[in-house]
Amino acid sequence: MAGRKALCVGINKFKNLPSATLQGCVNDADDMEKLLKALLGFQAQDIIKLTDSKATKTNIMKNLEEMVEGAKSGKYSYLVFSMSSHGTQVPDLSGDEPDLADEAFCPHDLAQKGNVWDPRYIITDDEFRDLFIQLPENVLLEVYLDTCHSGTGLKAIDLLLDRRPRYLPPPSMEAFQEVDGKRQRGINKALLEQGITQHILWAACRADQTSADASIGGGWHGAFTYYFCKEINASKNKLPRSVILEKVRKDLQRGNYTQVPQLESEATVRDKTIGENSVFLKN
């Protein structure tokens, strides 16, 4: 029987941008690792965790590539990828959508080159898409992104002392003007455009909102990841994804967070529990 593999990434510290430090991302990776072991049948050897200086672009992509290759060879039927870090925006690098901006994810070695982020040290949604579209149809991919890619929805409440947005603007006025006002396709739409349906994306907020790095429950966490883990643990993973989503949204609302988490998937998997999809049952 095919196995499972997970990569949990959490980045608080950025080598070239000490002012961008976050506080809850490493805890998110720890929390996701615990959840996978406690309720989703993962063993220690099934989980790779990359935090801070280990979470370079090269390491993140190498591990994801190995997971996809393992799935293609029949070794894995269930893949999980969680990433907690800053998000940002870059102009559409593929050049085929001039009115679009790419969502981008900040690894530990994020760096600037001229007026823009150096492509060698930033991960775009196109790069994730190009990797994930290789997955066979019978492999379930579940992605958790506790980042954000726009500052347009930023409100004063998002800047309270006990929270910080997980968003980095482009590194220069020129780079900002390149993406200002442009639509973001987003990783999920990019995958759907390629006909990939056996994947599930949990996003911490809508495209026009910010995701909070927050002091909750005596420590710092991603607000989405904290409440997601809380609800899955409380339900012992007996509730469908759609119900968990509503519970997490209510938790965030009660905490006065402005973000509204998103669950993007085929309708058939929304009513199943985590780790289950429309092609095969949990094993």
Side-chain angles (χ1 to χ4, degrees):
M1 188 176 287
R4 54 199 69 203
K5 195 74 176 179
L7 174 64
C8 301
V9 177
I11 307 166
N12 287 337
K13 296 176 182 175
F14 300 87
K15 182 171 74 169
N16 302 307
L17 291 164
S19 63
T21 298
L22 295 165
Q23 297 182 77
C25 297
V26 172
N27 284 339
D28 285 357
D30 293 341
D31 289 344
M32 289 299 295
E33 179 187 33
K34 288 174 193 165
L35 184 72
L36 293 170
K37 288 179 181 176
L39 293 171
L40 292 173
F42 284 76
Q43 304 299 313
Q45 64 269 23
D46 301 329
I47 304 169
I48 298 160
K49 186 168 62 177
L50 298 176
T51 59
D52 286 343
S53 61
K54 293 179 182 175
T56 61
K57 175 176 181 176
T58 297
N59 277 351
I60 293 168
M61 296 306 292
K62 177 176 75 73
N63 280 284
L64 286 176
E65 286 161 7
E66 288 173 359
M67 287 165 62
V68 169
E69 286 303 312
K72 287 163 68 175
S73 70
K75 188 176 180 183
Y76 308 127
S77 60
Y78 181 34
L79 301 181
V80 172
F81 171 47
S82 73
M83 185 164 186
S84 292
S85 180
H86 276 303
T88 187
Q89 288 170 285
V90 296
D92 177 50
L93 298 180
S94 57
D96 56 351
E97 295 279 1
D99 61 334
L100 288 179
D102 282 335
E103 291 180 355
F105 303 82
C106 301
H108 169 73
D109 51 346
L110 176 73
Q112 187 175 345
K113 182 180 182 181
N115 291 326
V116 298
W117 297 124
D118 190 331
R120 294 173 299 172
Y121 304 109
I122 196 158
I123 306 170
T124 67
D125 51 8
D126 283 345
E127 290 176 278
F128 283 148
R129 178 204 63 196
D130 291 346
L131 186 58
F132 295 148
I133 59 173
Q134 301 175 40
L135 288 170
E137 284 187 7
N138 64 338
V139 173
L140 174 63
L141 168 69
E142 199 139 12
V143 177
Y144 300 85
L145 300 175
D146 203 334
T147 63
C148 53
H149 307 278
S150 172
T152 57
L154 199 62
K155 295 179 171 62
I157 196 170
D158 298 315
L159 298 170
L160 293 174
L161 292 178
D162 65 351
R163 57 190 70 177
R164 181 177 183 183
R166 290 183 173 181
Y167 169 71
L168 280 182
S172 69
M173 180 58 74
E174 292 86 352
F176 177 80
Q177 289 171 335
E178 275 282 300
V179 299
D180 188 31
K182 291 188 176 180
R183 294 180 299 111
Q184 296 174 55
R185 180 200 287 113
I187 184 172
N188 191 61
K189 289 185 176 59
L191 286 167
L192 289 176
E193 286 169 6
Q194 300 294 322
I196 305 301
T197 54
Q198 291 307 324
H199 80 282
I200 295 152
L201 172 66
W202 296 82
C205 60
R206 292 197 310 252
D208 62 342
Q209 294 179 321
T210 53
S211 169
D213 194 68
S215 177
I216 318 173
W220 281 80
H221 307 266
F224 163 73
T225 301
Y226 177 85
Y227 288 118
F228 174 81
C229 291
K230 167 182 169 275
E231 293 298 350
I232 296 289
N233 283 312
S235 73
K236 305 294 184 191
N237 196 32
K238 297 284 195 273
L239 295 175
R241 293 180 179 96
S242 56
V243 174
I244 293 295
L245 176 67
E246 287 311 309
K247 286 180 172 290
V248 174
R249 284 178 171 177
K250 285 176 182 170
D251 287 337
L252 287 162
Q253 208 170 21
R254 280 192 290 267
N256 294 306
Y257 293 94
T258 59
Q259 67 197 78
V260 180
Q262 305 295 299
L263 169 60
E264 301 190 39
S265 69
E266 275 197 322
T268 49
V269 297
R270 296 176 73 89
D271 295 325
K272 298 184 182 295
T273 58
I274 310 291
E276 196 179 1
N277 76 355
S278 57
V279 170
F280 62 93
L281 294 177
K282 218 176 342 185
N283 51 54

